[in-house]
Amino acid sequence: MRKWHRWISVVFGVFLLWIAITGTLSQIVPLMSGGEGPPKTEAQASTPAKPAFVCPPDYMCRPRPKGGARSIVGLLHHLHSGESFGPVGVLIGTLSGFAMIFFSFSGLWLYIQMWRNRKNRALKPGWFWK
């Protein structure tokens, strides 16, 4: 298990780092900009917005980002999911997700094995050790 854990981490480490950085940035950018789009003038704030497009029934429509932090978050989402790199990017993103699941289970398994070995050798059986 340790051998697989090492080899898969060598292959997917860069992609998982990319996913972690873009995911973190996509959460930080809205916080830094206040989570709002471009500032509205008093006239815009006082008049209710009339939708220019009404989504037809049985469809799920998402509004497009309108500049500012929203467009940056949209870009970060496309980079994070791999959509910017086409089908190959999406495939690598999906495989990286499976790799993260594998790392979670194999890391836990390796920790349990180390804990059992320490207990069997009559060493201090703690959750954390030096």
Side-chain angles (χ1 to χ4, degrees), residues 5-74:
H5 195 88
R6 271 192 228 127
W7 278 106
I8 291 176
S9 68
V10 167
V11 174
F12 284 103
V14 174
F15 299 114
L16 292 173
L17 184 63
W18 174 267
I19 290 170
I21 289 171
T22 56
T24 303
L25 287 175
S26 70
Q27 297 299 315
I28 290 174
V29 168
L31 293 175
M32 292 179 66
S33 66
E36 301 291 327
K40 293 182 177 180
T41 63
E42 281 186 36
Q44 289 175 336
S46 63
T47 58
K50 182 178 178 184
F53 173 77
V54 178
C55 186
D58 299 332
Y59 284 91
M60 187 171 75
C61 300
R62 291 184 282 166
R64 289 185 173 200
K66 297 180 180 176
R70 292 181 184 183
S71 65
I72 294 172
V73 171

Side-chain angles (χ1 to χ4, degrees), residues 1 9 35 42 47 56 68 70 72 84 87 90 101 118 121:
M1 180 69 77
S9 68
E42 281 186 36
T47 58
R70 292 181 184 183
I72 294 172
S84 296
V90 174
I101 293 169
R118 284 188 63 82
R121 290 186 289 157

Side-chain angles (χ1 to χ4, degrees), residues 1-11 99-100 102-110:
M1 180 69 77
R2 195 174 293 221
K3 176 180 152 184
W4 284 100
H5 195 88
R6 271 192 228 127
W7 278 106
I8 291 176
S9 68
V10 167
V11 174
M100 185 56 82
F102 171 76
F103 289 142
S104 299
F105 286 113
S106 65
L108 182 62
W109 178 258
L110 292 171

